Amino acid sequence: MEGRRRFGEVLVSQSPYPWQPWQPGQQQWRGMLASHADRERAVDVLRAGFGEGRMEREEFEERVARAYAARTVGELAVLVADLPQGPVPPSLPAPYAAGAYQPLPRPRTNQKAVGAAVCGLLCVPTLGLTGIPAVVLGHAARSEIRRTGELGEGLALTGCVLGWLATAGWALVVVLLAVVSVAVG
């Protein structure tokens, strides 16, 4: 044990819990009675220090025994004052998560479906002239969406329905004009 400091020779931290940041005005903690949770937190810090190889098994076991026997928070502070805050220092960035834990990219919206919906909505101001492009784009978009898994099924369906309604309206107008022209003579 020559050349090594014993844990009883360590300076006491300013914080009531050395594993938590010190806040000004926390000077009266030394005599405060330790709770079971305080003892467990101190033992957790000791376990992390032992796991990192910062102390030998005999010293670890002695510190754990003293932590469970401690009556005050000050006694616990002496036991963990020379150890870091845990297995990962707080200043280090979080470790990179593997690709399986990264959120999946959201599928993009099919552009033909957007075009179909726009053409379908423009059927009203254009008196149905954009009905056929809406139908063509809507059916092409629905086919691509099924194949690629993109978003936009509702847009494509809206374009198809509005396009077919406009086309049916024009077909009805043509039929009525034909009937009127035959009737008139």
Side-chain angles (χ1 to χ4, degrees):
M1 292 274 248
E2 283 185 43
R4 285 187 23 190
R5 286 188 305 167
R6 302 225 356 123
F7 59 85
E9 301 169 3
V10 189
L11 294 176
V12 177
S13 171
Q14 293 290 323
S15 170
Y17 307 107
W19 48 89
Q20 295 177 347
W22 177 74
Q23 300 292 325
Q26 293 179 342
Q27 304 287 333
Q28 311 86 350
W29 60 270
R30 290 183 190 216
M32 185 171 47
L33 292 177
S35 68
H36 295 298
D38 295 333
R39 290 183 192 90
E40 290 301 323
R41 282 188 290 254
V43 170
D44 287 343
V45 172
L46 292 171
R47 283 188 187 117
F50 176 69
E52 292 174 342
R54 296 183 186 276
M55 65 183 98
E56 299 294 323
R57 177 170 291 285
E58 298 82 31
E59 183 180 359
F60 166 71
E61 290 171 356
E62 186 179 345
R63 285 191 191 200
V64 169
R66 284 190 56 186
Y68 283 124
R71 292 206 14 93
T72 65
V73 175
E75 293 172 20
L76 294 174
V78 171
L79 295 174
V80 296
D82 61 341
L83 295 174
Q85 304 302 312
V88 177
S91 62
L92 292 178
Y96 174 74
Y101 301 109
Q102 296 291 330
L104 293 175
R106 184 173 176 192
R108 64 185 196 96
T109 303
N110 187 290
Q111 296 303 305
K112 289 181 183 173
V114 173
V118 169
C119 288
L121 292 173
L122 287 176
C123 285
V124 174
T126 62
L127 300 176
L129 294 177
T130 57
I132 293 176
V135 170
V136 171
L137 286 172
H139 285 292
R142 291 185 75 203
S143 173
E144 283 183 14
I145 288 170
R146 275 187 240 118
R147 188 177 71 246
T148 63
E150 293 176 312
L151 299 177
E153 178 70 24
L155 294 172
L157 190 59
T158 300
C160 285
V161 168
L162 293 175
W164 279 117
L165 286 174
T167 305
W170 273 108
L172 183 63
V173 167
V174 169
V175 169
L176 286 176
L177 286 176
V179 168
V180 168
S181 70
V182 169
V184 173

